[in-house]
Amino acid sequence: AQSVTQPDIHITVSEGASLELRCNYSYGATPYLFWYVQSPGQGLQLLLKYFSGDTLVQGIKGFEAEFKRSQSSFNLRKPSVHWSDAAEYFCAVSPGGTYKYIFGTGTRLKVLA
Amino acid sequence: NAGVTQTPKFQVLKTGQSMTLQCAQDMNHNSMYWYRQDPGMGLRLIYYSASEGTTDKGEVPNGYNVSRLNKREFSLRLESAAPSQTSVYFCASNHRDFNTEAFFGQGTRLTVV
């Protein structure tokens, strides 16, 4: 069955430090890949997406993610975290040709001043 | 530019009551989705509508019904609410033919007592 794993439930970093959030998926072919961010009480906002092509994708708010086919991973990175980045982050996959988005369980990011 | 609009934002129901969650999008998307979000479980797909006139079950459809009223609107109905349906519900839409990502509403926080 298709699945998405975000192994870190909570991550705490200091403001200005670098960040990497992990995402692994289980699917036979290359799916469409997404990272969303959710601030408290809000809906989900797209940070970035990968459909094909360059495996390093740039998103909004200074985020980037790298697709690694050999590792079935799509990790999210940011070189310098800001206090406003504190939120919950969701990785999602959409197997090509279907209408379903499968979400990971999320990683809650806390930023220390 | 409203995007995806959900009503109501908050609702408290008694066990056994019924209600309909409304969702409308103004982006001319052909596909629409209903998800529920529970702590530690990410977002799980309840029902989706790939195009106007079609609906299909997602991962957790039991206890729910949906109606794709027209291209803009996709409603979710709870016929007899149960405490297990206490959750945050999100509606989303996208245009699969153009490979767009899913756009989300702000959510409906439902409590069943």
Side-chain angles (χ1 to χ4, degrees):
Chain A
Q2 299 136 7
S3 64
V4 177
T5 301
Q6 293 182 247
D8 303 305
I9 299 173
H10 297 278
I11 283 186
T12 300
V13 299
S14 297
E15 191 170 19
S18 63
L19 173 70
E20 182 170 31
L21 303 183
R22 295 181 290 166
C23 174
N24 292 92
Y25 65 89
S26 172
Y27 181 62
T30 300
Y32 299 154
L33 298 159
F34 309 85
W35 275 100
Y36 284 86
V37 60
Q38 184 182 31
S39 298
Q42 300 297 311
L44 279 74
Q45 180 185 20
L46 181 75
L47 284 176
L48 46 77
K49 62 187 177 185
Y50 174 81
F51 287 166
S52 64
D54 192 344
T55 57
L56 184 64
V57 293
Q58 303 296 322
I60 62 171
K61 305 185 180 187
F63 285 92
E64 66 177 26
E66 185 172 13
F67 167 58
K68 292 186 178 180
R69 186 190 309 274
S70 61
Q71 298 176 20
S72 296
S73 69
F74 189 55
N75 293 348
L76 182 71
R77 301 193 293 249
K78 186 169 185 178
S80 178
V81 170
H82 188 263
W83 64 267
S84 60
D85 293 324
E88 190 157 22
Y89 293 79
F90 291 94
C91 180
V93 303
S94 178
T98 76
Y99 297 90
K100 300 178 183 180
Y101 287 69
I102 303 166
F103 284 83
T105 52
T107 298
R108 187 171 297 278
L109 174 66
K110 183 177 179 179
V111 180
L112 301 176
Chain B
N1 191 7
V4 180
T5 302
Q6 292 181 234
T7 55
K9 289 186 169 52
F10 301 93
Q11 184 71 49
V12 178
L13 290 179
K14 294 182 179 178
T15 298
Q17 285 185 318
S18 62
M19 79 161 295
T20 299
L21 281 63
Q22 306 287 351
C23 175
Q25 54 89 10
D26 62 1
M27 295 172 283
N28 201 34
H29 287 165
N30 55 4
S31 300
M32 298 185 73
Y33 312 81
W34 276 105
Y35 289 88
R36 60 177 289 172
Q37 183 180 29
D38 302 291
M41 303 190 75
L43 281 79
R44 293 180 292 169
L45 183 63
I46 305 171
Y47 270 94
Y48 66 100
S49 171
S51 60
E52 186 178 356
T54 69
T55 61
D56 285 285
K57 295 178 180 179
E59 182 184 355
V60 289
N62 291 346
Y64 305 96
N65 285 300
V66 291
S67 295
R68 184 73 182 267
L69 305 170
N70 47 55
K71 191 172 185 178
R72 292 186 62 248
E73 298 172 289
F74 188 40
S75 63
L76 178 72
R77 183 162 178 83
L78 287 71
E79 290 292 351
S80 179
S84 61
Q85 294 179 304
T86 294
S87 186
V88 181
Y89 292 85
F90 287 99
C91 177
S93 71
N94 76 334
H95 204 308
R96 290 295 297 187
D97 296 341
F98 301 136
N99 285 338
T100 68
E101 67 275 16
F103 291 79
F104 286 81
Q106 293 298 296
T108 296
R109 186 174 295 275
L110 175 67
T111 302
V112 183
V113 297

